Every structure is written in C-alpha cells, then in structure tokens.
Amino acid sequence: MQFAIEALDLVKRFGDDARPAVDGVSFTVAPGTVLGLLGPNGAGKTTTVRMMTTLTAPTSGTARVAGYDVVREPDAVRRNMGLTGQVATVDELLTGRENIRMIGGLYGIRRKDLKQLGDQLLEQFSLTDAADRVVKSYSGGMRRRLDLAVSLLASPPVLFLDEPTTGLDPRSRNELWDALRALVRQGTTLLLTTQYLEEADQLADNIVVIDKGRIIAEGSPLQLKQQAGNASLVVTVTKAEDLPAAQALLAKTGAEVFVDTGARELTATAEGLDDMVRVAGWLRDSNIAVDDIGLSRPSLDDVFLSLTGHRSEEEVDA
C-alpha cells in the first residue's frame, strides 16, 4: 500500500545548540483518510507541517507526500498538495471570484476551465451569493472557506490544514467541518493540526499526539480515550431517598460507587454497554425510578491530561 503521507524520522533544530522543535517524528496516513496532529501551542505541529509542505528543510529525516520525497522532489510534492495555514491568505481587496481567478491563473488553469471550476468551488463552500463582494466584507468563517476553496483549485490529492478553525465562532467551525467531511468523501487525504480536542474527535480517523516535539501517543480517537481509563456509568435517581439502594445495586458490579447527594447522581466505572443494561434491569426490578442513565467515556482532554500532565490549551515551551 502506498501511503498518501509519510513522515520519516523528521527532526528540526533552529540553531546548533537548541533543543529540537521536532524530534524524530514518524507516522503514515492512508489515502482518503484524516490524520489529526494534536498538541498544545509550541508542541511542534506547525514546524512538522512546514517540513512536509517544503516550506522549511528538515535538519534530518524526510517525508513523502503522494509518493514524492519532500527533500529530493519538492516540486512534485507541491503539485500534489494544498495548504491552508493558520491565517487566511486571500486578498481582502479582491472579491471572492477575483481571488479564485488570480490564483487559478497562477496555477496555469485555462480561463474557460477556471470559470467552471471557480463556480463549482464557490457553490461547494456556500459562497456563491458573496462571490462578487470584496473579501474585506466577509466574516471569518467565509474567509476560511474561501481560503480552502482556493487551495483546492489544482485538485490536490493531499491537503494540509494548520489549525484551520482558530478564531472561528462555533457555527463557522461546524460549517468548515462539513466542508472538510465532503472533501474526504470525494477521496482527498487530510492532515489536520489542531489544539481543539473536539475538532480531532469530530474529523480524524487517526490521531498523533505530539508534545515538546515528540510523538507521545497515536491511534484512533476511541483507542486514545481507552488509554485514559474505562467508561463511567452515571445514574441519576428520581428520589433522593433511593440513593442508598441504588448505590448497593451499582456496587454489585464490583466497582467503587461515588454518590453526589445534591445531584441525586451515582457514578461507577463500567466495562461498557453490558454493565449499563444490567444495572438498568436491577433498578427496574427494584422499582427505583431514574431520571437518567448513561455511559460517559473519557474525553480527548482527559487523554491529553493523562499523557502530558497539562491540558491541551496550555502553552508549552517552544
């Protein structure tokens, strides 16, 4: 199998005596999938992307994009990838349509083909109504969508997105996520750097967690969550007087039960759905009414805290 993206022991130092900003990073991305490169500010995510997109040379190691080596074949890499950075790069004084014409012209796309492709991309990213307005009047979400549309003019099989939703409001973020999911359905391979755990959870097939320039964990979102511990069974009883009886029932699973009297809530570790179904049956048979019962799995934030000792949004030394 030829991977769409490969990082091969990438190292980057800025200065001879400096601690590496990226220290031996290796991973692969299968075609048509999404890899989330997750880590706090200063972890080395952007430096990794800059090496993989030929914007900076590795100190050692290399990478391959669409089968081409970033050190030996940089021109071929650039022809087969798109990049959306942390800041939208579209020209604010041009309209959306003019931005597409300008960048398409730089790519050498024929005018007739460019018109059709531009209209297609504007529609795909819900920008048709704003196509002839200057970008200066766009919202942050609209600019990011235009930036993404421009990066797709050459139909690259691989797309790198460096914290693409930073600064966006929740609605704009969700709209951009929908656009990215549509690209993946069409076969595009994405590498997404983010410090938003929810974003990685929503979009990524696999996640690489990087901290202080090194990979500290990798796997699917579910696999990483499982590293942080078992799920929790949470039961909210209707009547506070039923708490002792409910606690005794949950204890039959063999788990320690934590009781929040004020919230009428009991929490215990659980292996999964079977435990929840079994406890629900015991409660029903004992005529204990419940307002809610469910499983709460560890979040990616819990994973990051268990791996690094700090939350994802906390900055570390660069």
Side-chain angles (χ1 to χ4, degrees):
M1 175 183 179
Q2 178 172 308
F3 293 105
I5 304 172
E6 297 175 83
L8 306 168
D9 201 24
L10 283 172
V11 175
K12 183 65 179 181
R13 285 187 175 86
F14 297 98
D16 293 338
D17 298 325
R19 175 173 64 82
V22 175
D23 191 5
V25 165
S26 298
F27 56 79
T28 58
V29 188
T33 66
V34 182
L35 177 76
L37 191 58
L38 180 65
N41 287 332
K45 305 186 303 295
T46 295
T47 302
T48 299
V49 167
R50 287 181 61 83
M51 287 189 285
M52 301 190 80
T53 55
T54 75
L55 293 176
T56 189
T59 303
S60 63
T62 189
R64 285 193 285 267
V65 176
Y68 298 102
D69 190 287
V70 299
V71 174
R72 299 195 309 268
E73 304 166 288
D75 291 340
V77 169
R78 294 181 197 120
R79 285 194 297 268
N80 284 275
M81 51 142 279
L83 171 64
T84 298
Q86 294 183 21
V87 179
T89 55
V90 289
D91 192 319
E92 292 189 344
L93 300 180
L94 300 179
T95 67
R97 198 182 305 276
E98 287 169 343
N99 267 282
I100 285 177
R101 287 175 186 160
M102 178 182 70
I103 301 300
L106 293 174
Y107 277 128
I109 301 171
R110 293 188 307 173
R111 184 172 298 182
K112 181 179 177 182
D113 296 335
L114 182 56
K115 183 182 184 309
Q116 181 180 359
L117 179 58
D119 289 344
Q120 217 170 35
L121 288 169
L122 288 166
E123 182 177 356
Q124 179 179 351
F125 290 99
S126 304
L127 291 169
T128 301
D129 292 342
D132 296 310
R133 282 168 40 197
V134 293
V135 172
K136 191 175 182 179
S137 69
Y138 283 17
S139 67
M142 293 168 68
R143 292 185 197 198
R144 297 302 285 166
R145 295 204 305 274
L146 179 61
D147 203 35
L148 187 56
V150 164
S151 70
L152 294 172
L153 277 167
S155 302
V158 177
L159 185 61
F160 292 87
L161 302 113
D162 191 11
E163 300 194 15
T165 62
T166 296
L168 296 188
D169 60 78
R171 179 180 176 181
S172 297
R173 185 175 297 158
N174 285 331
E175 289 174 347
L176 189 57
W177 287 352
D178 287 342
L180 294 176
R181 291 186 187 104
L183 289 177
V184 175
R185 286 195 296 270
Q186 295 165 13
T188 304
T189 303
L190 302 185
L191 187 149
L192 169 81
T193 79
T194 182
Q195 56 181 315
Y196 295 129
L197 294 144
E198 182 188 6
E199 186 159 80
D201 207 2
Q202 285 280 335
L203 297 175
D205 298 295
N206 287 289
I207 294 172
V208 168
V209 184
I210 186 170
D211 193 37
K212 298 180 181 178
R214 293 186 175 183
I215 292 175
I216 57 174
E218 56 185 306
S220 70
L222 179 58
Q223 287 170 335
L224 292 181
K225 289 176 188 177
Q226 288 172 339
Q227 290 185 28
N230 291 330
S232 296
L233 176 61
V234 183
V235 177
T236 305
V237 298
T238 304
K239 300 176 182 178
E241 56 263 34
D242 286 332
L243 280 170
Q247 181 179 5
L249 289 175
L250 264 70
K252 288 168 60 178
T253 65
E256 185 176 2
V257 183
F258 299 90
V259 180
D260 184 336
T261 303
R264 307 188 313 280
E265 187 177 272
L266 306 100
T267 305
T269 58
E271 292 298 325
L273 189 60
D274 288 346
D275 277 351
M276 187 182 78
V277 171
R278 186 161 55 250
V279 169
W282 294 340
L283 292 166
R284 182 194 61 226
D285 295 343
S286 301
N287 294 316
I288 297 175
V290 299
D291 288 342
D292 192 25
I293 181 169
L295 287 174
S296 174
R297 294 197 175 275
S299 68
L300 284 178
D301 209 13
D302 296 326
V303 173
F304 207 89
L305 181 61
S306 69
L307 290 170
T308 69
H310 55 79
R311 296 285 179 184
S312 63
E313 66 273 12
E314 294 176 9
E315 293 197 16
V316 296
D317 295 334

